[in-house]
Amino acid sequence: MIRKFTVIGAGTMGHGIAEVAAISGLEVWLNDVTEDILKNAKEKISWSLSKLEEKGQIKSKDEVLSRIHLTTDQEEALKDTDFMVEAVIEDINIKSKVFSKADALSSDNAILASNTSSIPISEIAKYVKKGERVVGMHFFNPPVIMPLVEIIKGEKTSEETVKEVYNLAKRLGKDPVVVNKDVPGFLVNRILFRVNEVACWLVESGKASIEDVDYTSITDLGFPMGIFLLQDYTGLDVGYLVGKAMEERGFKTYECKMFEEKFKSKELGVKSGKGFYTYPAPGKFVRPEFKGAKKVNAILLLSSAINEASYLLREGISSKEDIEKGCKLGLGWPKGIFEYADSFGIDEVINALEELKNETKLENFTPDPLLISMRNEGRLGKKTGNGFYEYGKRNFTTIKYEIDGKIGIITLNRPEKLNAINEDMVKELNELLDEIEEDDKIRVIIIQGSGRAFSAGADTSEFLKMTPIKAMIASRRLQELYNKIQFLTKPVISLINGYAIGGGLELAMSTDIRIASSNAQLGQPEINLGIIPGGGGTQRLPKLSKRKSLQLILTGENISAKEAEELGIVDEVVDPSELENEGKKIANKIAEKSPLAVALAKYAVNLGNQTNIWTGEALESSFFGILFSTKDFEEGIKAFIERRKPQFKGE
């Protein structure tokens, strides 16, 4: 149990981490060297909380602020703390002093984490007697908004420490990835810097302009920002210093002279008013236009990043799922790096790497053994039906599906869009549900969201293309999907993390059991767009909660998971770290029962709710009698008499 959460360093990252922790309900001590720094941090936290309060994402700004304790006394901040996150500048000398003091003052079982983005955790752990409690907990900027957290194991970090930090990240509403080996740059930065090095080489070798590279990365790769524009936006000094720290610790890369020149001339990007692009004034960001820009080879642009990701996977540094998640949630890419690789073709990626190696004579462009073996085995990606992923009739783009025993787990998989429901997702869910219904091995279905949301509703970008008739058709299709879920022969459990609003809440309400994490926000905000719920919200919400349902629809306000539970909209609220476990626990209990009895029980309840009590009871009696003719009933009675657990087969 964390009674005291300490953040050392109240800069951009530190005060953001403190805010996130306080929002989750933790008592937070925020420390820095001067009152002015702390005052500035408090003002920024207060401004951010005001925005969250306006949006209904928190109930009371003042309540959250009351949990943040500011102090210039580092000893006071560290005394008996249960969890520390260090967020000071990237200087091992300063960090070593913080950790030495934390080691002496914190509680015996305290976890000591660093938010470092470049310094190995094993270096930092040298200044602590019990290295097993030192870990990396790398948030992304800004911490309040960015969903990803990298958890980095040092050489001595214990598995128990990693597990506790993973669960804490979930409690904070974040989506953690684990880096199993303490390599320079960890996960996301290693992949990002591989993209940067090729982009820089293309420009410095005269093969492309800065605008060409950025234009291609936005139009062909779907990046939210161009590669050079992103560096301007985040600060060239930040990127340069992180890159240097990584190189000093063995990260071999193409040496980009442009970055060094910009750093030395203090052309640091948006913050200084000039970087790779020129801005109207320091701190004023305006997207540049790419007039006359030409396309470059997108495969070449991503080839080194794919090579790096292959190394990370082959060495067990991170899992395929975490590497993909890092790209989508940490970099905002629409696809994971392995998805890009499969779409390009592994052979084409190797050709691009060999071109880079021949041109630069650098060994870091040598194709990774994993890529070579994949090419030799004919696993070239989509074109051969097999690469980093299997391709066949179940090649989903908006959802993921996995089987865990008798449970089918559907994950809404558009985390970069908060799992917004688009036309493709509706089609894919329909197809998959039809298949699962025919699969006798699956007895219970779980629906969950990837990233920091269950689903933030319909993808409003599709609204712009709709005529009134098309909007009505889209509404009917969504209603048909949700009716299918409600009247499916197999029970469906929704695990609601983060946002479940609009069509996302309507989806959850169509499921049979709704479990929410304590950080969930639920609502029907359609009225704010001048429309009404279109996926059954006006019908299901009043049936679940006679109290306040119309108010929620008319105001468009969000409510917390706790209030949703009080209103009967969700069945149970758990800590974010327990959401998946609780869902599977309930699913496994149901999966042990007779699938025939489960199906008819679900039908009796859901169909009975649509009619009067006499018709409903007649339906119940019919189902009750039918089940007496089944082998499952015979097995249930026999097992009861023999005092053993029944083995139901659905017969």
Side-chain angles (χ1 to χ4, degrees):
M1 179 180 175
I2 299 176
R3 292 160 298 182
K4 182 176 180 180
F5 184 100
T6 298
V7 182
I8 304 296
T12 301
M13 295 302 294
H15 73 66
I17 295 167
E19 181 182 350
V20 169
I23 289 171
S24 77
L26 294 171
E27 292 291 328
V28 181
W29 271 255
L30 179 59
N31 162 259
D32 216 308
V33 292
T34 70
E35 294 286 354
D36 284 344
I37 294 174
L38 291 172
K39 181 183 176 184
N40 183 51
K42 184 176 181 180
E43 288 173 356
K44 289 181 176 177
I45 292 171
S46 181
W47 175 86
S48 173
L49 290 173
S50 295
K51 295 296 181 184
L52 295 175
E53 190 176 44
E54 285 173 17
K55 296 175 182 176
Q57 294 175 16
I58 60 170
K59 276 203 165 182
S60 169
K61 176 188 81 171
D62 292 338
E63 182 185 336
V64 176
L65 275 175
S66 71
R67 290 195 284 269
I68 300 177
H69 312 278
L70 307 175
T71 178
T72 57
D73 186 341
Q74 198 171 92
E75 289 195 8
E76 178 191 356
L78 290 170
K79 181 70 174 174
D80 297 324
T81 192
D82 301 301
F83 199 104
M84 178 199 77
V85 177
E86 164 273 308
V88 302
I89 62 172
E90 294 289 83
D91 184 326
I92 187 63
N93 295 318
I94 296 175
K95 290 181 187 293
S96 66
K97 292 174 183 175
V98 171
F99 274 83
S100 293
K101 193 171 286 188
D103 189 39
L105 295 170
S106 63
S107 65
D108 291 341
N109 297 316
I111 290 175
L112 308 179
S114 175
N115 183 58
T116 181
S117 58
S118 60
I119 298 176
I121 301 306
S122 301
E123 282 187 38
I124 296 170
K126 291 177 182 177
Y127 301 94
V128 174
K129 291 174 186 174
K130 292 169 65 178
E132 62 269 21
R133 65 175 179 160
V134 179
V135 67
M137 192 178 190
H138 179 218
F139 291 78
F140 287 72
N141 191 27
V144 179
I145 296 174
M146 293 295 282
L148 193 72
V149 169
E150 288 179 323
I151 299 171
I152 304 100
K153 291 175 64 175
E155 291 175 5
K156 295 183 179 179
T157 308
S158 70
E159 290 296 334
E160 183 60 31
T161 295
V162 172
K163 182 180 177 181
E164 287 191 36
V165 179
Y166 189 94
N167 288 338
L168 173 64
K170 286 282 195 180
R171 176 178 175 179
L172 299 182
K174 299 303 177 185
D175 210 331
V177 295
V178 177
V179 182
N180 294 305
K181 296 181 183 178
D182 197 6
V183 293
F186 314 136
L187 169 54
V188 174
N189 273 337
R190 287 183 78 95
I191 291 174
L192 176 62
F193 277 68
R194 291 304 183 198
V195 180
N196 290 348
E197 71 173 345
V198 179
C200 188
W201 173 78
L202 283 168
V203 175
E204 290 189 345
S205 64
K207 296 181 183 297
S209 68
I210 288 171
E211 291 79 9
D212 292 342
V213 169
D214 280 2
Y215 178 64
T216 303
S217 61
I218 293 170
T219 57
D220 284 12
L221 297 175
F223 289 2
M225 274 191 180
I227 294 164
F228 292 103
L229 184 59
L230 177 62
Q231 296 303 312
D232 271 5
Y233 188 80
T234 55
L236 285 161
D237 52 338
V238 175
Y240 176 76
L241 293 172
V242 170
K244 291 299 288 184
M246 289 167 62
E247 287 177 40
E248 288 168 4
R249 291 164 174 83
F251 184 73
K252 304 295 183 185
T253 184
Y254 170 79
E255 187 177 347
C256 186
K257 296 181 178 61
M258 289 196 303
F259 274 88
E260 187 171 9
E261 289 167 4
K262 292 290 181 186
F263 176 76
K264 289 182 177 177
S265 63
K266 299 194 184 304
E267 294 180 358
L268 305 179
V270 177
K271 68 172 74 174
S272 67
K274 186 177 181 182
F276 291 113
Y277 297 92
T278 301
Y279 303 92
K284 187 172 179 59
F285 176 72
V286 175
R287 280 184 176 270
E289 295 181 8
F290 304 111
K291 292 180 179 177
K294 300 173 184 177
K295 297 282 185 75
V296 300
N297 185 343
I299 302 175
L300 192 72
L301 204 52
L302 274 195
S303 59
S304 184
I306 292 168
N307 206 39
E308 181 65 38
S310 301
Y311 159 76
L312 294 171
L313 178 62
R314 179 175 55 81
E315 288 291 317
I317 294 167
S318 278
S319 68
K320 183 173 73 175
E321 293 72 22
D322 279 359
I323 293 169
E324 298 289 69
K325 190 190 296 183
C327 293
K328 291 178 180 179
L329 299 185
L331 299 174
W333 292 357
K335 297 180 185 177
I337 191 68
F338 297 124
E339 292 175 312
Y340 280 113
D342 278 359
S343 65
F344 293 152
I346 305 303
D347 51 342
E348 295 296 335
V349 172
I350 292 172
N351 291 341
L353 287 166
E354 289 173 344
E355 178 185 338
L356 285 167
K357 185 176 180 181
N358 290 335
E359 291 268 5
T360 64
K361 311 303 180 190
L362 294 175
E363 288 300 316
N364 59 278
F365 292 122
T366 302
D368 189 83
L370 175 57
L371 294 176
I372 298 297
S373 67
M374 289 175 71
R375 182 182 64 180
N376 293 343
E377 294 164 9
R379 293 164 52 213
L380 304 182
K382 284 187 175 180
K383 59 187 173 186
T384 60
N386 190 322
F388 285 103
Y389 295 93
E390 298 283 339
Y391 296 91
K393 64 175 183 176
R394 289 278 49 86
N395 180 24
F396 296 120
T397 60
T398 66
I399 59 176
K400 289 192 297 186
Y401 179 59
E402 57 184 316
I403 296 172
D404 185 354
K406 297 176 181 178
I407 306 170
I409 302 173
I410 301 172
T411 304
L412 310 181
N413 191 34
R414 300 183 74 208
E416 71 285 357
K417 298 287 186 182
L418 296 178
N419 301 318
I421 300 164
N422 62 3
E423 187 178 350
D424 288 341
M425 185 181 285
V426 172
K427 288 178 181 176
E428 291 184 347
L429 283 170
N430 264 309
E431 291 172 13
L432 180 57
L433 289 167
D434 286 342
E435 287 188 16
I436 295 175
E437 186 145 45
E438 297 297 322
D439 188 344
D440 293 336
K441 299 188 296 294
I442 302 302
R443 296 192 177 180
V444 184
I445 300 166
I446 287 176
I447 300 179
Q448 61 186 5
S450 61
R452 60 193 179 104
F454 177 73
S455 171
D459 190 334
T460 53
S461 65
E462 292 189 344
F463 287 2
L464 302 175
K465 301 176 287 184
M466 288 183 183
T467 63
I469 292 296
K470 286 186 177 179
M472 184 180 72
I473 292 169
S475 173
R476 284 304 306 272
R477 285 176 178 162
L478 202 58
Q479 291 167 353
E480 287 163 4
L481 170 64
Y482 295 166
N483 287 339
K484 177 181 286 188
I485 292 170
Q486 183 174 355
F487 296 104
L488 208 68
T489 55
K490 297 175 182 181
V492 184
I493 300 171
S494 53
L495 303 183
I496 306 168
N497 59 299
Y499 297 107
I501 56 178
L505 177 56
E506 290 169 317
L507 168 57
M509 289 192 296
S510 72
T511 63
D512 303 297
I513 299 171
R514 293 167 294 282
I515 307 170
S517 68
S518 56
N519 65 2
Q521 293 281 320
L522 303 91
Q524 297 283 178
E526 291 87 349
I527 203 82
N528 298 319
L529 300 178
I531 56 177
I532 65 172
T538 62
Q539 305 305 302
R540 287 194 175 89
L541 188 54
K543 284 183 171 65
L544 289 173
S545 176
K546 297 192 184 307
R547 185 167 64 88
K548 208 173 178 179
S549 57
L550 184 56
Q551 179 182 330
L552 291 174
I553 291 170
L554 295 181
T555 62
E557 293 177 346
N558 291 346
I559 58 172
S560 68
K562 184 178 179 183
E563 186 173 358
E565 183 182 31
E566 291 169 356
L567 292 172
I569 299 169
V570 300
D571 301 301
E572 185 179 354
V573 176
V574 298
D575 189 271
S577 63
E578 291 300 316
L579 185 62
E580 186 177 346
N581 289 338
E582 182 66 14
K584 287 185 177 179
K585 184 172 77 174
I586 293 173
N588 280 317
K589 282 183 180 178
I590 296 171
E592 292 175 353
K593 314 306 179 188
S594 163
L596 298 174
V598 166
L600 293 186
K602 175 176 174 174
Y603 258 57
V605 171
N606 284 334
L607 288 173
N609 280 338
Q610 310 304 313
T611 186
N612 57 65
I613 190 168
W614 296 280
T615 306
E617 286 180 343
L619 192 68
E620 179 183 89
S621 297
S622 300
F623 289 166
F624 182 77
I626 287 170
L627 289 169
F628 270 69
S629 67
T630 66
K631 291 182 180 179
D632 277 358
F633 169 69
E634 293 176 11
E635 167 64 9
I637 292 295
K638 188 177 180 183
F640 178 77
I641 294 170
E642 295 174 359
R643 296 185 179 181
R644 61 175 174 80
K645 194 173 183 178
Q647 300 297 317
F648 295 118
K649 297 180 180 179
E651 299 174 351

